[in-house]
Amino acid sequence: MNFLIGAFKPACNISITFSDGKSRKQVPMKKENGKTIMVSLFQSKESIAGKVSIEPLQGKKIEHLGVKVELLGQIEMYFDRGNFYDFTSLVRELDVPGDIYERKTYPFEFSTVEMPYETYNGANLRLRYVLKVTVSRNYGGSIVEYQDFMVRNYSPPPSINNSIKMEVGIEDCLHIEFEYNKSKYHLKDVIIGKIYFLLVRIKIKNMDLEIRRRESTGSGANTHVETETLAKFELMDGAPVRGESIPIRLFLSPYELTPTYRNINNKFSVKYYLNLVLVDEEDRRYFKQQEIAIYRQQDS
Amino acid sequence: MLNGTEDEEKWLAEGIAGIQHNAFYMHRALDSNNLREALKYSAQMLSELRTSKLSPHKYYELYMRAFDELKRLELFFKDDSKHGVSVVDLYELVQHAGNILPRLYLLCTVGSIYIKSKEAPAKEVLKDLVEMCRGVQHPIRGLFLRSYLAQISRDKLPDIGSEYEGDADTVMDAVDFVLQNFTEMNKLWVRMQHQGPGGVREKREKERSELQDLVGKNLHVLSQIEGVDLEMYKETVLPRVLEQVVNCKDDLAQYYLMDCIIQVFPDEYHLQTLETLLGACPQLQPTVDVKTVLSRLMDRLSNYAASSADVLPEFLQVEAFSKLSNAIGKVIEAQLDMPAVGAITLYVSLLTFTLRVHPDRLDHVDQVLGACVKKLSNIPKLEDSRAMKQVVALLSAPLEKYNDIVTALTLSNYPRVMDHLDIGTNKLMAMVIIQSIMKNNSCISTADKVEVLFELIKGLIKDIDGADVDELDEEDFKEEQNSVARLIHMLYNDEPEEMLKIICIVRKHTMVGGPKRLPFTVSSLVFSALRLLRQLQGQEGDIVGEEASMTPNKNFQLLTQIIESLSAVPSPELALRLYLQCAEAANGCDIEHVAYEFFTQAFVLYEEEIADSKAQVTAIHLIIGTLQRMNVFGVENRDTLTHKATGYSARLLKKADQCRAVYACSHLFWVDDQDGIKDGERVLLCLKRALRIANAAQQMANVARGSGGPVSLFVEILNKYIYFFEKGNKQITSSAIQGLIELINTEMQSDSTNPDSVADAFLASTLRYIQFQKQKGGVMGEKFESIKL
């Protein structure tokens, strides 16, 4: 149970608990202050039910204009600070205006909530789900309490999952053909593949496979793109000769990946790329980037 | 360059320090069973092996440090009670490492445990490992990584009978794995040659040869796999290894690997796969030292053949010789610029092989020689001394093997090879041949063989055009010619007809030898002919008149001709001796006119050619001695000859010589045989004449030097007197002896100023003899009784 302590001493303590909180899976979540907390994990179309308890400070009463709990799905752009965009907003009125003298508990339930997007913590934005309890008051301002929770949605294995096979090169210099066994990978998947060297006229020092995340936010002229290299995996050491084939086996599990997000609520996209990089002895880089789709598979 | 080595030491020290540092933390993690930390520090430790700065030698040091640490890590991995992770998960976990080299070292380490755990078939794990190792393409790092793989997998191959044995094709899996690792290692090894800046080729080759055993070890592992039987070796292992060897197109690798194949696999396999193995040889790079490779192969096979007689049928069955022979032909054809010495060395090896394996197949030997002739005939002039040595070896091998030149003489190509030797070597070889004959006491008994033999040693028999006569060493020349002379005695046949042919052939060859050689060879030849003559004589009864050519007369004509050839030298003393020998032989054959003819020749020589007084003395004694024994002559001839001989004797220069020759002549008139001539009167004449001459000598000495001459002459004559007296010559009386003794005593006394101890002793013993005869009594005692001393 987490309590948020306000800037000034609040008139009461508000706590939000989920009814299946003991059994529900807890996952770590990074807060904006850098701390990692454990929060409950939900997926779309689950019912979110729980209790809100309000406990006035010793010997005080709270006069209020009503108590409500909201379930909010928000997209927050960091460059547009403080400007939340709510794509989901559900409200339950918990109490009519009146006074609270002692600890009072309100059950609530949002049944079968559509939560199409996953919680995401990116470089330029975040997408969060939060329960917000508001005790409205005439004076002294309303008392607000938040409870984050996390949403992850699972996809079935794609019905079509072709391999990626491509021949690339620089004329009279380097010709390679690479093959990744799939174009769509789940988060714990393994990328299996091969690189064939058809022509090598440069002195290659090594070859890496990178996993890159491309997060684009906004639209039109305001598009911000942030690219991040999440994995740098050495595939080859030394210079191959013509005809050589180098195996690829890259386990995705050690890396903090998310599924691919395409045009989430017209606000942002997160895409993943495999970047094959060859470095020659003069440290020149030759690379070829290929998008792969990542999805979240239900753990079996 | 000095800086380079210093830097290298520094880098090595840094690398070792890095390994030790990380190993320290790794040990701590191992002790506290912290898998995550262990993986982290082991990966960091292995990252030190990513260096490119070290030479193979130094890199090896670094590798060994890491290797030791990996053994500790392996123990930790093996014990899953310590880290609580299943081996399957561990196998994935180590693959998360970002750098490939540490990742693969760790993967191999876990892989070895994975196989041991038997949670997956060994073949699957091995296949995965060997495949994944492709990621390291840097030659040195790749070689060491794969060598690590080979090391940890050695005892885990799914071989037959191994605890990791798999399904039906299990051996194949094991073989596939090793072959693949071998192939990749070889590729890396070859590639080393082409990396880095040019111009340091030698250095790189040296570095490469330091690494060759890493590659070769795979072949050794292959040979150790139980399940690799002949079938599999033939169908899979050898073709694939050879494919790699041929395709790598690198001379260093090809040479090393061919040798490796030959050394590590059993001889029996080689024998059964000769064709395949040899088929690869012409495909190798021209710079590969194929001859050494093939020589080693043949050496091994030869030893194998020698090891047991049971294996010989195998050699025949696979036609080992013809295969090897073909292969050598092809290699020589393919490698046009192979030096002559190389080709000849190959032939020597092949010859050694066939001599050991098929000692009964002379045609093989001849074939090899023939091939060699063919090769040599393409070379205008063989000047390479090493090549020459090899040719000598080639020619000596059959001699040593068969211990019998006769065998070699049947080889038609043998002389043709000899033709390609230079003059010196040719002589040397000829000497080898003769020595072989001498050593083995082998008798050459047919004319054909003699003909061939003389063809072989013609370098010794005659001057060869272009030979530098000045360079001849007198000693060597004598040695050579003496050998030839000895050789002539080894040519012998019991059949007179054949023997005659042999003699004719030898004569034909020796006659062209020129004046320097003739004195050596002619006497051998003459005695050889005389032996034939005596032999004929022994058989005379059987073959009377059967063959015209076989008559002693004919034979003597031949002898005359032979001896006459000496006149060109000239060597009259020798000729004279030989004539006398012949005369004696003729005497034995009872052919008077021939004997007379020989004597005539001898006398002619004496008169015309022998001028030296010493030689004359020797000659006259020889003549007298020979003539004395002749019993074939009629009175007239004998008279003529003895007359001549006594005449010559009396005309010698020195009085002493005259005296001695004359008293020797006395024997010509007294032959102590049953029906020998006994002309006592003429004996006495001779002796008296000798005495006269002795007297004359004495007086001359007195006049010239004022002292007495040699008394010993008188004593010698006294002895002759005594001899004939004993033999019953009536003309020699005891009083004559008595007188002579007194004369001698007088002489001795008159010559007291100059005592001659030798003569004194001689006289004393002579007198003692007379005394002895007197005392003996009997007929002889009576005879001597009348002599008063």
Side-chain angles (χ1 to χ4, degrees):
Chain A
M1 294 302 106
N2 297 284
F3 299 94
L4 259 178
I5 313 297
F8 53 90
K9 209 170 187 184
C12 61
N13 284 330
I14 302 170
S15 68
I16 306 160
T17 55
F18 296 106
S19 49
D20 51 0
K22 290 250 158 45
S23 57
R24 183 160 288 278
K25 190 174 177 186
Q26 303 288 309
V27 290
M29 189 177 87
K30 231 181 206 162
K31 299 286 291 179
E32 51 270 61
N33 61 8
K35 279 185 181 159
T36 302
I37 53 165
M38 299 302 282
V39 297
S40 295
L41 178 67
F42 290 88
Q43 57 178 306
S44 189
K45 289 185 177 135
E46 271 191 304
S47 292
I48 297 170
K51 285 177 196 152
V52 174
S53 345
I54 298 171
E55 191 175 8
L57 290 181
Q58 201 63 43
K60 282 196 175 173
K61 71 159 192 191
I62 298 168
E63 222 174 292
H64 64 87
L65 300 172
V67 178
K68 63 177 180 182
V69 59
E70 290 167 285
L71 189 158
L72 299 174
Q74 299 177 320
I75 294 173
E76 181 187 351
M77 308 284 189
Y78 295 154
F79 53 84
D80 194 7
R81 197 103 192 128
N83 194 1
F84 298 149
Y85 173 77
D86 294 348
F87 56 87
T88 293
S89 177
L90 301 169
V91 188
R92 294 286 180 273
E93 296 293 344
L94 296 180
D95 206 352
V96 293
D99 298 334
I100 299 171
Y101 298 96
E102 56 189 353
R103 180 190 172 96
K104 199 168 179 188
T105 303
Y106 309 96
F108 68 92
E109 180 177 359
F110 301 96
S111 53
T112 353
V113 191
E114 284 283 351
M115 294 179 288
Y117 312 129
E118 288 195 345
T119 305
Y120 173 69
N121 219 334
N124 282 328
L125 76 129
R126 65 172 175 172
L127 187 153
R128 69 191 287 232
Y129 288 93
V130 70
L131 285 171
K132 180 182 179 188
V133 174
T134 312
V135 180
S136 313
R137 289 197 295 184
N138 257 342
Y139 55 93
S142 299
I143 303 167
V144 180
E145 177 63 44
Y146 296 95
Q147 173 63 49
D148 280 288
F149 66 93
M150 205 177 249
V151 172
R152 284 176 184 172
N153 288 324
Y154 299 98
S155 326
S159 52
I160 303 171
N161 197 348
N162 294 324
S163 64
I164 299 173
K165 198 170 176 179
M166 190 174 273
E167 196 183 319
V168 292
I170 310 161
E171 202 171 341
D172 294 331
C173 185
L174 179 69
H175 272 267
I176 62 171
E177 185 184 294
F178 59 81
E179 187 179 348
Y180 307 127
N181 60 336
K182 299 178 197 171
S183 48
K184 296 164 188 166
Y185 295 92
H186 63 78
L187 290 170
K188 306 270 183 256
D189 219 339
V190 190
I191 299 173
I192 307 280
K194 249 183 187 343
I195 296 128
Y196 302 97
F197 284 85
L198 304 173
L199 176 79
V200 192
R201 293 249 175 88
I202 51 173
K203 287 182 174 169
I204 297 172
K205 202 163 70 178
N206 64 323
M207 175 169 72
D208 294 335
L209 188 62
E210 294 175 346
I211 302 175
R212 295 168 65 115
R213 173 157 69 196
R214 191 163 171 272
E215 177 189 290
S216 59
T217 45
S219 56
N222 288 329
T223 310
H224 287 253
V225 176
E226 186 75 36
T227 307
E228 211 180 334
T229 301
L230 299 179
K232 189 164 180 283
F233 189 75
E234 193 182 17
L235 288 180
M236 185 183 74
D237 170 25
V241 293
R242 199 162 65 92
E244 208 63 69
S245 80
I246 306 298
I248 305 172
R249 184 188 294 155
L250 172 57
F251 290 90
L252 296 180
S253 55
Y255 306 106
E256 289 180 11
L257 306 180
T258 68
T260 299
Y261 302 134
R262 284 182 209 287
N263 201 14
I264 299 301
N265 212 249
N266 278 325
K267 292 287 184 218
F268 75 99
S269 294
V270 174
K271 291 179 180 175
Y272 287 91
Y273 296 87
L274 287 181
N275 193 26
L276 186 66
V277 185
L278 290 117
V279 184
D280 73 8
E281 283 185 348
E282 271 111 62
D283 282 327
R284 281 188 291 256
R285 290 158 62 85
Y286 307 83
F287 56 89
K288 179 66 187 175
Q289 196 158 286
Q290 275 303 115
E291 190 185 347
I292 52 168
I294 294 185
Y295 63 97
R296 192 184 298 281
Q297 192 180 32
Q298 186 80 58
D299 294 342
S300 50
Chain B
M1 229 52 260
L2 193 76
N3 248 342
T5 42
E6 271 174 20
D7 282 349
E8 222 187 303
E9 289 293 345
K10 202 181 80 199
W11 288 321
L12 175 63
E14 279 173 12
I16 291 174
I19 285 183
Q20 283 169 340
H21 175 80
N22 286 301
F24 172 76
Y25 287 104
M26 186 185 87
H27 294 165
R28 278 229 306 229
L30 298 184
D31 291 343
S32 56
N33 295 339
N34 187 335
L35 178 63
R36 177 179 289 273
E37 292 280 290
L39 288 176
K40 178 180 154 195
Y41 286 111
S42 57
Q44 281 181 17
M45 173 186 82
L46 291 164
S47 289
E48 296 294 339
L49 290 177
R50 297 175 71 208
T51 178
S52 299
K53 292 172 177 169
L54 298 178
S55 68
H57 194 71
K58 295 273 186 283
Y59 190 85
Y60 176 74
E61 268 185 56
L62 201 59
Y63 164 83
M64 284 315 292
R65 302 266 177 160
F67 183 80
D68 292 341
E69 298 300 339
L70 282 173
K71 278 199 276 196
R72 290 194 62 165
L73 188 63
E74 186 181 346
L75 285 177
F76 172 73
F77 284 159
K78 205 185 280 180
D79 189 353
D80 61 4
S81 70
K82 284 197 171 168
H83 51 75
V85 177
S86 74
V87 68
V88 185
D89 289 343
L90 205 53
Y91 196 68
E92 183 192 320
L93 212 50
V94 293
Q95 294 187 63
H96 294 174
N99 282 320
I100 185 156
L101 198 68
R103 178 165 77 233
L104 291 176
Y105 272 106
L106 290 174
L107 190 67
C108 290
T109 311
V110 177
S112 115
I113 299 160
Y114 200 2
I115 298 172
K116 267 195 180 158
S117 76
K118 296 185 188 145
E119 286 184 36
K123 73 161 179 183
E124 301 289 343
V125 180
L126 291 175
K127 204 175 160 190
D128 190 52
L129 291 176
V130 77
E131 195 58 35
M132 291 312 285
C133 283
R134 282 175 183 276
V136 180
Q137 294 287 325
H138 183 275
I140 295 180
R141 294 196 285 271
L143 273 173
F144 277 95
L145 171 68
R146 284 184 180 274
S147 143
Y148 180 67
L149 172 61
Q151 180 75 26
I152 56 118
S153 63
R154 272 190 84 155
D155 52 349
K156 302 180 185 69
L157 298 175
D159 190 8
I160 279 181
S162 141
E163 55 176 316
Y164 308 105
E165 184 176 346
D167 48 16
D169 278 337
T170 183
V171 181
M172 202 60 204
D173 297 327
V175 168
D176 271 339
F177 166 73
V178 182
L179 274 175
Q180 197 180 343
N181 205 33
F182 159 71
T183 307
E184 294 301 326
M185 281 178 88
N186 188 44
K187 282 194 208 160
L188 290 170
W189 187 44
V190 171
R191 214 184 292 162
M192 248 180 100
Q193 192 62 42
H194 311 295
Q195 296 210 336
V200 283
R201 188 184 163 84
E202 261 176 42
K203 183 176 169 240
R204 209 167 307 123
E205 280 195 349
K206 188 177 156 281
E207 290 181 350
R208 282 188 62 199
S209 34
E210 287 171 2
L211 293 176
Q212 63 186 16
D213 287 343
L214 296 183
V215 185
K217 211 161 190 180
N218 286 298
L219 294 179
H220 186 245
V221 171
L222 270 179
S223 73
Q224 303 282 303
I225 297 178
E226 284 286 320
V228 175
D229 52 9
L230 178 59
E231 180 78 3
M232 178 166 289
Y233 178 73
K234 201 173 181 175
E235 299 298 326
T236 312
V237 177
L238 183 64
R240 284 184 53 187
V241 172
L242 284 180
E243 186 192 358
Q244 173 58 31
V245 172
V246 170
N247 289 345
C248 77
K249 295 202 176 7
D250 175 83
D251 48 358
L252 190 67
Q254 289 183 334
Y255 174 70
Y256 172 72
L257 292 174
M258 286 303 279
D259 196 36
C260 220
I261 294 173
I262 291 167
Q263 302 304 330
V264 300
F265 291 106
D267 302 312
E268 187 199 343
Y269 288 9
H270 292 319
L271 195 54
Q272 296 297 334
T273 55
L274 259 187
E275 209 155 352
T276 323
L277 190 58
L278 295 173
C281 291
Q283 300 176 56
L284 302 179
Q285 298 302 99
T287 42
V288 175
D289 184 7
V290 186
K291 68 171 195 313
T292 312
V293 171
L294 283 176
S295 303
R296 297 227 178 134
L297 174 64
M298 286 185 272
D299 285 351
R300 271 203 69 151
L301 290 179
S302 309
N303 288 334
Y304 179 54
S307 68
S308 151
D310 300 343
V311 299
L312 285 177
E314 276 181 55
F315 280 87
L316 292 176
Q317 188 205 330
V318 300
E319 295 174 327
F321 173 77
S322 60
K323 281 176 187 168
L324 284 170
S325 168
N326 280 340
I328 288 172
K330 277 187 194 144
V331 165
I332 291 173
E333 235 172 73
Q335 300 199 358
L336 281 175
D337 41 0
M338 182 197 276
V341 60
I344 299 164
T345 312
L346 274 177
Y347 287 122
V348 172
S349 301
L350 180 61
L351 192 69
T352 317
F353 169 80
T354 185
L355 287 174
R356 287 225 203 147
V357 180
H358 307 292
D360 50 333
R361 294 294 296 270
L362 271 179
D363 55 331
H364 285 171
V365 179
D366 203 30
Q367 200 179 323
V368 176
L369 294 176
C372 192
V373 169
K374 216 171 122 197
K375 173 72 190 169
L376 286 173
S377 57
N378 293 332
I379 304 165
K381 189 143 172 64
L382 204 52
E383 265 161 358
D384 183 358
S385 66
R386 285 183 307 149
M388 206 59 84
K389 262 186 199 152
Q390 287 300 324
V391 178
V392 172
L394 185 76
L395 292 169
S396 308
L399 298 182
E400 280 161 23
K401 172 70 189 178
Y402 294 113
N403 276 334
D404 183 5
I405 185 71
V406 181
T407 320
L409 294 181
T410 56
L411 302 168
S412 64
N413 283 311
Y414 201 93
R416 292 167 62 198
V417 176
M418 279 198 76
D419 285 346
H420 289 279
L421 294 171
D422 65 25
I423 293 157
T425 322
N426 197 318
K427 279 189 182 169
L428 200 71
M429 196 58 227
M431 285 298 278
V432 170
I433 292 172
I434 293 175
Q435 276 154 9
S436 157
I437 294 174
M438 296 302 165
K439 200 178 81 195
N440 302 303
N441 225 346
S442 39
C443 176
I444 319 296
S445 59
T446 69
D448 298 347
K449 284 178 186 163
V450 172
E451 180 77 51
V452 178
L453 176 64
F454 272 84
E455 190 58 34
L456 288 183
I457 60 165
K458 66 183 170 207
L460 298 180
I461 300 300
K462 60 181 180 194
D463 291 330
I464 293 173
D465 301 335
D468 194 349
V469 187
D470 300 339
E471 272 182 27
L472 283 179
D473 183 278
E474 197 61 31
E475 290 275 310
D476 287 352
F477 180 77
K478 275 187 184 161
E479 168 78 29
E480 283 166 19
Q481 295 310 315
N482 279 327
S483 298
V484 175
R486 289 171 71 193
L487 172 70
I488 293 173
H489 291 294
M490 302 302 293
L491 316 175
Y492 180 71
N493 194 320
D494 279 335
E495 281 297 316
E497 200 180 326
E498 191 69 25
M499 188 62 205
L500 185 65
K501 276 193 203 160
I502 292 175
I503 290 172
C504 288
I505 289 165
V506 176
R507 177 173 159 242
K508 184 182 84 192
H509 286 282
T510 49
M511 285 305 123
V512 294
K516 288 186 78 177
R517 289 186 181 80
L518 278 176
F520 293 93
T521 48
V522 161
S523 43
S524 283
L525 187 57
V526 166
F527 280 99
S528 189
L530 289 175
R531 178 164 62 174
L532 170 65
L533 204 66
R534 274 192 289 277
Q535 194 188 340
L536 274 177
Q537 202 186 344
Q539 299 175 346
E540 213 167 12
D542 312 334
I543 56 152
V544 174
E546 210 174 284
E547 283 277 352
S549 66
M550 295 309 296
T551 60
N553 268 335
K554 262 283 207 259
N555 215 326
F556 283 118
Q557 283 167 21
L558 185 66
L559 282 165
T560 316
Q561 287 164 8
I562 295 171
I563 300 171
E564 270 172 359
S565 66
L566 278 177
S567 63
V569 177
S571 177
E573 288 99 348
L574 180 61
L576 182 117
R577 282 160 193 262
L578 293 175
Y579 277 132
L580 293 176
Q581 281 291 339
C582 292
E584 209 179 342
N587 179 56
C589 295
D590 217 11
I591 311 173
E592 186 182 356
H593 67 277
V594 174
Y596 188 80
E597 175 63 26
F598 280 123
F599 261 98
T600 316
Q601 293 292 347
F603 283 137
V604 169
L605 274 179
Y606 179 83
E607 281 174 11
E608 292 177 359
E609 305 282 347
I610 301 178
D612 179 60
S613 59
K614 263 189 190 156
Q616 280 182 342
V617 173
T618 319
I620 198 72
H621 279 283
L622 282 170
I623 291 173
I624 294 167
T626 314
L627 187 56
Q628 197 264 345
R629 280 191 307 217
M630 302 299 269
N631 53 21
V632 69
F633 292 125
V635 180
E636 197 176 322
N637 281 339
R638 191 176 172 92
D639 271 358
T640 318
L641 292 174
T642 43
H643 183 73
K644 268 281 180 203
T646 24
Y648 292 146
S649 306
R651 279 198 295 277
L652 286 171
L653 183 63
K654 287 193 202 158
K655 286 289 175 194
D657 290 339
Q658 271 182 26
C659 172
R660 291 194 175 99
V662 169
Y663 70 63
C665 282
S666 65
H667 287 284
L668 292 175
F669 306 104
W670 191 277
V671 178
D672 195 28
D673 276 346
Q674 207 163 17
D675 46 356
I677 181 168
K678 288 190 173 63
D679 188 343
E681 216 163 308
R682 293 183 68 177
V683 171
L684 187 62
L685 271 176
C686 282
L687 293 179
K688 280 188 169 162
R689 195 165 174 187
L691 265 180
R692 269 204 309 278
I693 299 169
N695 260 324
Q698 190 76 359
Q699 279 161 17
M700 275 174 68
N702 275 330
V703 172
R705 289 191 289 268
S707 68
V711 185
S712 56
L713 274 180
F714 292 105
V715 186
E716 284 164 33
I717 297 167
L718 173 63
N719 273 282
K720 292 288 165 195
Y721 266 88
I722 296 170
Y723 171 80
F724 288 111
F725 179 67
E726 265 186 43
K727 293 294 172 190
N729 188 339
K730 299 276 186 318
Q731 302 299 322
I732 310 293
T733 58
S734 56
S735 58
I737 294 174
Q738 185 83 54
L740 191 53
I741 294 170
E742 277 159 20
L743 173 73
I744 293 168
N745 284 332
T746 327
E747 285 292 332
M748 292 281 218
Q749 276 148 21
S750 74
D751 196 27
S752 55
T753 46
N754 189 10
D756 182 348
S757 62
V758 179
D760 283 350
F762 193 14
L763 177 66
S765 56
T766 310
L767 296 178
R768 222 173 18 251
Y769 177 75
I770 297 171
Q771 199 66 40
F772 168 75
Q773 290 290 33
K774 280 166 88 147
Q775 284 164 3
K776 208 164 67 172
V779 186
M780 202 51 77
E782 276 171 31
K783 252 187 139 172
F784 276 90
E785 199 52 48
S786 52
I787 302 172
K788 303 275 182 304
L789 295 177

